[in-house]
């Protein structure tokens, strides 16, 4: 017979037990569901959403080792290796025979350079799985890395920096997340002058440590030495973002900013053809950087050389251009400017040498144009040179040309010479003088001549007309179309 009194008295305890079992079952069910959903998101590459699901699974079931392991997997996929370590450690504690957790934990420690700790993980993984290839290979590489580190240190002491870099590189390939090893390699790169490689290591370090003020300062300094003011400024600004009161970074920032501003102002003045002011500004850059920073002195002198060439002050242009080319014989800009100066002084052979060398170094439109121009002017100089006929420079203004023409026309007027050889010579000279005046006072014809063409040469003009599709030729006739009635009676303009 049922004892109802006893049954009803134990009913609350029974209901409570069932409620607890129900809640525990539901928690386990939710945790597994969250894990399954997280795995689906992870497979689709939705890392942030997957991370949220695995975290929720851990909250539902703090003893679910797989939830910790999966969250560690997401951290690794996000490049957050240090965040993955505690979850892997928790996985190893909850599931001591989970070999993969030990290997992943060891791999992170190895990449961080914590070799002795990684060694313990690999030993445990091999105890659980003696045939595990990954654990065996990584365990064997640890003593080799330690030996290479000692060898690299010995090479640095012997000042064999390039060889030391090779050793550090082999270490970094296994230990990419260790700041110290990258710093050692960067130092070695700097010592033998490979600044760009050193910058690569400093840039990697800035991603590995939160306080990277020193690395940004070093990067800025190296970019400055290389002459890259823009990158130097960018790096030093990053240093000041981290520490606006950083003494070295602020001092370097002021100098780089000032120099960059001066170069910008100098270029603007050149663009405005205010060459005297531009020269002053570039002299100021050399005062801003008075130390042995040849890259900036050379850059400033190259700009000054350009200004003097544009001002047609060839004596100063040669002086400054030559100073640059003594140390930078392959400076294309300076070769082009000096070539232009040679053309102004009608030193065509020398100009041709500079333009040819520039074109060899830089096969571009500007070097090819300069070379073509020099070749045409050299060829032209071997024929009739209208500037020489009038005795004026290539830079002469129209007023100077007309003055020279009047003087020579009066001197060589045929009426002033006796018949015979003297009159014939005077007639020829007078025709040349008149031709020179026609060409050099006509802007279009003068431009043709300055580009290496003779606008009064029938053969050249025929080629030019054919090129442009003009069926009519052209040439110069100082006697006009009437021909025979000319009697040399001129009124000089």
């Amino acid at each position: 017979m049922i004892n109802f009194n006893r049954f009803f008295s134990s009913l609350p305890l029974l209901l409570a037990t069932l409620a607890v079992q129900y809640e525990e079952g539901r928690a386990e069910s939710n945790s597994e569901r969250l894990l399954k959903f997280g795995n689906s998101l992870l497979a689709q590459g939705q890392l942030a959403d997957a991370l949220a699901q695995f975290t929720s699974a851990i909250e539902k079931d703090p003893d679910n080792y797989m939830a910790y392991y999966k969250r560690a997997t997401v951290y690794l996929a996000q490049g957050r290796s240090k965040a993955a370590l505690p979850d892997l450690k928790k996985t190893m504690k909850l599931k001591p025979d989970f070999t993969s957790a030990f290997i992943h934990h060891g791999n992170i420690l190895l990449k961080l350079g914590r070799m002795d700790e990684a060694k313990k993980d690999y030993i445990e993984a091999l105890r659980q799985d003696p045939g595990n290839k990954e654990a065996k290979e990584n365990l064997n590489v640890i003593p080799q890395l330690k030996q290479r580190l000692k060898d690299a240190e010995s090479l640095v002491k012997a000042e064999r920096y390039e060889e030391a870099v090779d050793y550090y590189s082999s270490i970094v390939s296994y230990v990419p997340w260790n700041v110290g090893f990258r710093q050692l390699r960067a130092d070695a790169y700097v010592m033998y002058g490979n600044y760009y490689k050193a910058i690569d290591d400093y840039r990697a370090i800035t991603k590995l440590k939160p306080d990277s003020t020193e690395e940004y300062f070093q990067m800025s300094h190296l970019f400055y030495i290389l002459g890259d003011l823009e990158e130097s400024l960018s790096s030093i600004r990053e240093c000041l973002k981290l520490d606006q009161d950083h003494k070295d970074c602020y001092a370097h920032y002021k100098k780089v900013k000032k120099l960059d501003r001066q170069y910008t102002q100098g270029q603007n003045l050149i663009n405005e053809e205010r060459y005297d002011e531009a020269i002053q500004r570039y002299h100021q850059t050399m005062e801003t950087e008075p130390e042995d920073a040849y890259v900036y002195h050379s850059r400033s002198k190259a700009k000054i050389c350009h200004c003097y060439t544009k001002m047609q002050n060839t004596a100063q242009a040669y002086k400054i251009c030559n100073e640059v080319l003594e140390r930078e014989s392959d400076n294309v800009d300076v070769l082009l400017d000096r070539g232009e100066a040679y053309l102004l002084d009608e030193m065509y052979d020398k100009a041709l040498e500079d333009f040819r060398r520039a074109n060899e170094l830089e096969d571009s439109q500007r070097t090819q144009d300069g070379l073509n121009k020099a070749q045409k002017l050299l060829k032209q100089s071997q024929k009739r040179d209208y500037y020489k006929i009038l005795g004026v420079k290539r830079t002469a203004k129209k007023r100077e040309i007309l003055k020279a023409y009047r003087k020579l026309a009066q001197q060589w007027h045929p009426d002033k010479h006796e018949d015979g050889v003297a009159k014939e010579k005077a007639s020829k000279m007078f025709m040349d003088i008149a031709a020179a005046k026609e060409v050099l006072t006509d802007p279009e014809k003068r431009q043709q001549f300055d580009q290496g063409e003779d606008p009064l040469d029938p053969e050249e003009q025929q080629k030019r007309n054919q090129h442009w599709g003009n069926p009519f030729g052209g040439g110069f006739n100082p006697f006009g179309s009437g021909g025979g009635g000319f009697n040399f009676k001129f009124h000089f303009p």
Side-chain angles (χ1 to χ4, degrees):
M1 187 174 185
I2 297 175
N3 188 336
F4 287 102
N5 291 331
R6 185 177 179 182
F7 173 77
F8 284 114
S9 64
S10 62
L11 184 59
L13 178 60
L14 176 63
L15 291 174
T17 301
L18 290 172
V20 169
Q21 290 176 348
Y22 172 75
E23 288 297 324
E24 288 179 349
R26 189 173 69 171
E28 290 177 0
S29 175
N30 284 341
S31 176
E32 292 301 324
R33 180 177 56 80
L34 290 167
L35 268 176
K36 185 176 180 181
F37 188 36
N39 285 331
S40 176
L41 292 169
L42 180 60
Q44 297 173 38
Q46 300 180 40
L47 301 181
D49 293 334
L51 184 67
Q53 296 302 314
F54 294 139
T55 299
S56 296
I58 290 170
E59 292 171 353
K60 294 292 184 182
D61 183 4
D63 293 330
N64 190 324
Y65 76 92
M66 186 55 70
Y68 288 102
Y69 183 74
K70 288 295 184 179
R71 189 168 71 173
T73 302
V74 176
Y75 283 138
L76 288 172
Q78 292 177 329
R80 300 164 62 188
S81 56
K82 289 184 179 179
L85 279 174
D87 279 354
L88 289 170
K89 196 74 173 176
K90 185 71 173 180
T91 304
M92 292 153 61
K93 183 178 180 180
L94 293 171
K95 183 74 170 171
D97 61 346
F98 194 1
T99 306
S100 293
F102 282 91
I103 292 176
H104 282 306
H105 192 263
N107 288 345
I108 294 174
L109 293 174
L110 178 60
K111 290 180 179 180
L112 289 170
R114 293 158 61 177
M115 298 185 200
D116 290 333
E117 296 174 72
K119 181 178 178 180
K120 294 178 182 178
D121 285 338
Y122 293 136
I123 289 173
E124 175 59 25
L126 287 171
R127 187 191 67 78
Q128 297 175 14
D129 180 9
N132 192 287
K133 185 178 179 181
E134 184 177 3
K136 190 179 295 184
E137 288 179 353
N138 288 345
L139 183 62
N140 290 336
V141 86
I142 289 174
Q144 297 175 36
L145 294 175
K146 289 183 176 181
Q147 183 59 49
R148 281 190 168 268
L149 184 59
K150 291 180 181 178
D151 293 339
E153 291 170 352
S154 299
L155 289 167
V156 169
K157 289 179 181 178
E159 299 183 0
R160 294 161 61 182
Y161 301 111
E162 195 166 358
E163 295 174 69
V165 162
D166 291 336
Y167 278 78
Y168 284 130
S169 294
S170 65
I171 297 169
V172 170
S173 65
Y174 281 95
V175 191
W177 301 336
N178 184 279
V179 170
F181 296 153
R182 283 192 178 272
Q183 181 68 58
L184 289 170
R185 186 171 70 172
D187 292 343
Y189 275 132
V190 170
M191 292 307 294
Y192 84 89
N194 196 334
Y195 296 152
Y196 284 112
K197 286 291 187 180
I199 288 169
D200 288 342
D201 271 336
Y202 286 130
R203 185 173 282 116
I205 291 172
T206 64
K207 293 179 174 63
L208 295 172
K209 56 183 283 195
D211 181 9
S212 304
T213 52
E214 186 61 28
E215 285 70 32
Y216 280 118
F217 175 73
Q218 292 296 336
M219 286 169 62
S220 179
H221 181 65
L222 291 178
F223 276 125
Y224 182 78
I225 292 174
L226 290 166
D228 194 334
L229 289 175
E230 185 177 347
E231 286 293 340
S232 182
L233 274 174
S234 176
S235 297
I236 210 66
R237 285 182 178 126
E238 291 299 322
C239 174
L240 292 172
K241 283 180 185 177
L242 294 171
D243 181 1
Q244 62 181 359
D245 297 321
H246 195 287
K247 184 178 178 181
D248 292 335
C249 285
Y250 184 67
H252 188 63
Y253 169 76
K254 287 201 300 183
K255 181 170 75 170
V256 178
K257 182 66 176 175
K258 181 179 180 180
L259 196 59
D260 183 62
R261 183 174 62 252
Q262 288 173 334
Y263 275 116
T264 300
Q265 291 170 345
Q267 187 57 54
N268 289 339
L269 290 168
I270 287 177
N271 295 341
E272 296 169 7
E273 299 183 3
R274 295 158 63 185
Y275 300 116
D276 278 325
E277 295 173 69
I279 288 171
Q280 293 176 12
R281 188 70 74 242
Y282 287 118
H283 277 299
Q284 289 174 0
T285 65
M286 291 187 277
E287 294 172 4
T288 300
E289 180 48 272
E291 300 174 5
D292 186 20
Y294 181 75
V295 63
Y296 295 106
H297 288 203
S298 175
R299 182 181 299 175
S300 298
K301 287 181 178 181
K303 290 294 186 180
I304 293 171
C305 157
H306 177 74
C307 290
Y308 277 129
T309 300
K310 289 295 184 181
M311 294 167 65
Q312 299 174 0
N313 186 340
T314 55
Q316 284 297 321
Y318 296 142
K319 180 178 180 295
I320 303 299
C321 291
N322 289 341
E323 287 179 11
V324 178
L325 291 171
E326 281 177 8
R327 294 186 64 170
E328 290 184 46
S329 60
D330 293 347
N331 191 314
V332 174
D333 292 330
V334 177
L335 284 168
L336 292 175
D337 281 322
R338 190 175 69 173
E340 289 292 342
Y342 281 138
L343 290 181
L344 289 171
D345 283 344
E346 300 179 12
M347 300 167 67
Y348 303 119
D349 288 327
K350 286 185 173 295
L352 191 58
E353 288 179 15
D354 277 354
F355 286 120
R356 185 175 287 126
R357 176 61 179 153
N359 190 242
E360 289 172 355
L361 295 167
E362 179 193 299
D363 186 7
S364 64
Q365 189 62 49
R366 64 172 186 159
T367 60
Q368 189 61 52
D369 287 346
L371 182 59
N372 291 339
K373 181 180 178 181
Q375 289 171 335
K376 285 182 178 180
L377 289 173
L378 176 61
K379 182 179 179 181
Q380 187 183 80
S381 70
Q382 297 164 350
K383 297 180 179 180
R384 184 164 54 174
D385 189 329
Y386 297 122
Y387 290 104
K388 285 185 177 180
I389 290 171
L390 293 183
V392 296
K393 291 185 177 181
R394 300 187 74 86
T395 57
K397 304 295 184 184
K398 184 175 181 179
R399 182 180 63 256
E400 299 173 67
I401 292 168
L402 289 172
K403 182 179 178 181
Y405 164 72
R406 292 189 189 103
K407 180 180 178 180
L408 290 171
Q410 290 175 351
Q411 177 185 346
W412 291 100
H413 196 291
D415 287 350
K416 292 186 177 183
H417 297 267
E418 296 180 1
D419 292 339
V421 176
K423 198 174 190 71
E424 289 180 11
K425 180 180 178 181
S427 296
K428 182 180 182 307
M429 286 296 297
F430 192 79
M431 290 175 66
D432 286 344
I433 293 165
K437 180 252 185 184
E438 177 184 346
V439 170
L440 299 184
T441 57
D442 183 309
E444 184 178 348
K445 290 179 180 178
R446 184 175 181 178
Q447 184 180 15
Q448 276 184 254
F449 185 73
D450 287 343
Q451 291 174 347
E453 298 179 16
D454 187 345
L456 303 185
D457 185 320
E459 185 178 340
E460 286 191 19
Q461 290 311 299
Q462 184 178 7
K463 291 179 181 178
R464 180 182 175 86
N465 292 332
Q466 288 174 350
H467 175 74
W468 292 103
N470 184 350
F472 303 105
F476 170 72
N477 181 358
F479 305 114
S481 59
F486 182 71
N487 59 6
F488 295 109
K489 299 297 183 181
F490 291 104
H491 295 288
F492 302 118

